[in-house]
Amino acid sequence: MNESLLRELVPAVIGVLVRRGADFAAAEDAVQDALVEAVRVWPEDPPRDPKGWLVTVAWRKFLDAARADVSRRHREARVEDEPAPGPAGAVDDTLQLYFLCAHPSLTPASAVALTLRAVGGLTTRQIAQAYLVPEATMAQRISRAKRTVSGVRLDRPGDVATVLRVLYLVFNEGYSGDVDLAAEAIRLTRRLAARIDHEEVAGLLALMLLHHARRPARTGPDGRLVPLAEQDRGLWDTRLIAEGVEVLQAALGRDRLGEFQAQAAVAALHADAPTAEETDWVQIVEWYDELVRLTGSPVARLNRAVAVGEADGPRAGLAALAGLDPALPRHTAVTAYLRERDGDLATAARLYAEAARSAPSLPERDHLTRQAARLNARLRG
């Protein structure tokens, strides 16, 4: 093992952790723990990307330490209210913290933001991206939330809907971002579903399982993003799909539809299609209609436009986009896709390139750049 390389990488890795939100001392401690792990693991299994390996392990060490510290402080704050000694069931401290941070004195938006920052370990920038707001706005929201709860005891758990929004955002960050929290979000949602008989808890669990089942096919061997239509469906985890569908069917059978059940129904229709061409886009549009009715979300309307474009043709999809704000994330990429479907390759190529410049992740940026290059090559040919 190259010890000089390890020493050279330490400052850069610490810098990455600090930029993600760790204070310098905590970052140093996490990197030292990662170095110990490297000394143990690398001689038998050297990584292809030493810096990436160190960043990943150090960040996980930092999150573990941060969660343990938050858990300890909350246990100390609650010590006077602890019950008398006796038999007790298993307690998931992390799940309890999610509930505690969803305090009744906070608005749902502030509770989600605070929980993601204090418990989930996400940076302010990552939370802002999930909320589609500027980073400065999110920083102010988190600061206000901290001030709000600074003088109260976190002994009244928040509502289930807020906790579900937290888990959903954590899952999405783990699924597409640079912090792998997807498995943790699924674990916590399973525990929540085992403790709470709530159709939307089941709906969220089904949604996570169905999306997670496609994870092995989302990227190619070279790390490139693979769109849903091009994925090798033989790589999808059929066990997770079957579980997700079963959980969803039980939730829908209660006839109390919520947004997570509607999203899971869309995911189930994708999972049910043997090929992309056999996708039931008409039903998917109907489920997006329900989702828009339930939430009014512009993101749901954007996804609905894609489904309309598949079900009724690209011009119908473009018409569905007409009332949406062009500044909406991925609006430009969706427009590019529908323009290409409609045969306007020059406009599509320009829009793909424009979308690439504002893509939220490197894999997505690379994918959109390749799409633009592909169309430009066809236009030159």
Side-chain angles (χ1 to χ4, degrees):
M1 182 178 62
N2 191 334
E3 294 184 1
S4 62
L5 173 62
L6 281 177
R7 288 193 295 270
E8 292 171 3
L9 290 174
V10 165
V13 176
I14 291 176
V16 171
L17 267 62
V18 170
R19 287 193 296 274
R20 290 184 180 181
D23 63 69
F24 190 84
E28 279 190 319
D29 290 342
V31 171
Q32 289 302 318
D33 289 341
L35 292 176
V36 172
E37 189 73 2
V39 171
R40 185 181 68 84
V41 173
W42 286 16
E44 297 292 333
D45 185 19
R48 288 181 294 179
D49 179 6
K51 180 182 176 182
W53 189 97
L54 283 173
V55 168
T56 299
V57 174
W59 182 246
R60 287 174 180 166
K61 297 288 187 183
F62 167 75
L63 291 182
D64 289 343
R67 289 169 180 163
D69 183 62
V70 172
S71 179
R72 175 187 58 77
R73 285 188 275 112
H74 280 293
R75 285 196 300 270
E76 291 173 352
R78 298 195 303 268
V79 67
E80 295 179 359
D81 297 328
E82 286 184 359
V91 176
D92 188 322
D93 286 342
T94 306
L95 185 57
Q96 290 293 330
L97 287 177
Y98 275 114
F99 271 103
L100 290 167
C101 283
H103 193 271
S105 63
L106 296 172
T107 65
S110 294
V112 169
L114 180 61
T115 305
L116 287 172
R117 187 72 184 93
V119 184
L122 276 66
T123 66
T124 302
R125 175 175 298 178
Q126 290 167 327
I127 302 169
Q129 290 173 346
Y131 253 102
L132 311 180
V133 299
E135 184 176 353
T137 301
M138 183 54 64
Q140 293 173 357
R141 183 179 300 175
I142 292 172
S143 295
R144 286 196 299 268
K146 289 179 178 178
R147 288 195 298 271
T148 299
V149 300
S150 62
V152 299
R153 292 179 61 84
L154 291 179
D155 55 3
R156 293 170 58 200
D159 66 287
V160 174
T162 301
V163 175
L164 292 181
R165 282 192 288 274
V166 171
L167 293 171
Y168 183 49
L169 285 172
V170 172
F171 177 79
N172 282 335
E173 181 62 37
Y175 197 81
S176 61
D178 56 2
V179 181
D180 188 3
L181 295 175
E184 177 71 0
I186 291 175
R187 184 183 73 85
L188 292 172
T189 307
R190 285 189 188 278
R191 279 185 170 267
L192 186 59
R195 287 163 171 74
I196 300 177
D197 185 20
H198 193 292
E199 60 279 355
E200 273 292 81
V201 176
L204 178 58
L205 178 58
L207 176 64
M208 289 180 175
L209 294 171
L210 290 164
H211 277 303
H212 208 57
R214 301 202 302 259
R215 191 171 194 174
R218 282 174 59 88
T219 55
D222 56 358
R224 291 186 178 186
L225 182 67
V226 180
L228 176 61
E230 301 173 19
Q231 289 177 13
D232 179 357
R233 299 183 179 219
L235 297 177
W236 291 359
D237 189 327
T238 55
R239 179 185 60 82
L240 288 181
I241 291 174
E243 181 185 1
V245 169
E246 181 180 359
V247 171
L248 174 62
Q249 288 176 337
L252 292 175
R254 304 176 68 169
D255 199 25
R256 289 197 293 268
L257 184 64
E259 61 178 293
F260 292 118
Q261 295 168 73
Q263 290 186 62
V266 171
L269 286 168
H270 283 299
D272 186 56
T275 66
E277 292 73 22
E278 296 173 87
T279 303
D280 190 342
W281 287 106
V282 173
Q283 273 204 69
I284 288 176
V285 171
E286 292 173 356
W287 278 112
Y288 275 125
D289 287 339
E290 292 288 348
L291 189 58
V292 169
R293 179 183 62 80
L294 288 165
T295 68
S297 164
V299 175
R301 293 181 186 275
L302 182 68
N303 291 332
R304 179 186 179 277
V306 176
V308 169
E310 298 290 351
D312 300 326
R315 294 191 181 183
L318 289 167
L321 280 178
L324 295 176
D325 184 355
L328 189 67
R330 297 188 173 90
H331 184 285
T332 305
V334 169
T335 306
Y337 173 73
L338 292 172
R339 288 291 183 187
E340 180 185 358
R341 291 274 321 280
D342 196 38
D344 188 355
L345 302 189
T347 300
R350 177 178 57 79
L351 290 173
Y352 276 132
E354 180 182 332
R357 290 191 289 272
S358 59
S361 67
L362 182 59
E364 188 169 344
R365 185 184 71 188
D366 290 345
H367 170 71
L368 293 168
T369 300
R370 288 194 301 274
Q371 295 294 85
R374 174 178 57 80
L375 292 186
N376 284 324
R378 286 180 60 184
L379 290 167
R380 287 193 300 269

